[in-house]
């Protein structure tokens, strides 16, 4: 019979400590872990792994998006004509008039 020798390699694992975690977040993690039958540590590892393994959504840079709008409004009218058009499109309301007594 051949003797088999098994080598068990012990991989060192890093330890991550999180300080000043909000009680609300901790309770959420605790509840989530309990629902998944995991320890809090296992739940945090699962959340981190899922996040890092998920495809990255390409969020547009807000500044670049805003700058891309520069000059996007093309109108042949002058500023005075646009203002006049806005004023004429408003509806008249007596809501804040003297008759209702709010500002009287």
């Amino acid at each position: 019979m051949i003797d088999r020798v098994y080598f068990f390699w012990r991989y060192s694992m890093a330890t991550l400590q999180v300080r000043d975690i909000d009680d609300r977040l901790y309770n959420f993690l605790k509840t989530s872990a309990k629902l998944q039958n995991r320890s809090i540590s296992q739940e945090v590892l699962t959340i981190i792994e899922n996040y890092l393994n998920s495809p990255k959504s390409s969020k547009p840079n807000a500044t670049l998006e805003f700058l891309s709008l520069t000059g996007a409004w093309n109108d042949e009218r002058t500023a005075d004509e646009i203002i006049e058009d806005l004023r004429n499109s408003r509806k008249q309301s007596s809501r804040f008039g003297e008759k209702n007594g709010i500002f009287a």
Side-chain angles (χ1 to χ4, degrees), residues 1-20:
M1 178 172 228
I2 299 175
D3 290 329
R4 295 186 184 191
V5 179
Y6 293 98
F7 293 97
F8 294 99
W9 297 96
R10 184 168 186 198
Y11 295 99
S12 64
M13 298 278 220
T15 301
L16 176 66
Q17 181 179 15
V18 180
R19 294 184 182 149
D20 300 326

Side-chain angles (χ1 to χ4, degrees), residues 65-99:
E65 284 290 309
F66 178 75
L67 291 175
S68 73
L69 298 174
T70 304
W73 181 358
N74 295 322
D75 200 326
E76 301 297 323
R77 299 175 293 170
T78 66
D80 289 333
E81 290 172 331
I82 294 170
I83 292 169
E84 184 65 28
D85 188 34
L86 289 171
R87 286 185 178 145
N88 290 335
S89 67
R90 293 181 182 156
K91 296 181 180 178
Q92 296 295 327
S93 172
S94 60
R95 179 176 172 197
F96 298 110
E98 292 183 29
K99 290 183 180 179

Side-chain angles (χ1 to χ4, degrees), residues 33-92:
K34 187 175 183 178
L35 290 172
Q36 299 297 326
N37 295 318
R38 297 183 184 124
S39 68
I40 294 174
S41 202
Q42 290 170 328
E43 184 68 11
V44 169
L45 286 173
T46 302
I47 291 169
I48 292 171
E49 285 175 354
N50 289 341
Y51 176 79
L52 293 176
N53 288 325
S54 67
K56 304 296 183 258
S57 62
S58 58
K59 293 181 181 177
N61 182 319
T63 303
L64 295 177
E65 284 290 309
F66 178 75
L67 291 175
S68 73
L69 298 174
T70 304
W73 181 358
N74 295 322
D75 200 326
E76 301 297 323
R77 299 175 293 170
T78 66
D80 289 333
E81 290 172 331
I82 294 170
I83 292 169
E84 184 65 28
D85 188 34
L86 289 171
R87 286 185 178 145
N88 290 335
S89 67
R90 293 181 182 156
K91 296 181 180 178
Q92 296 295 327

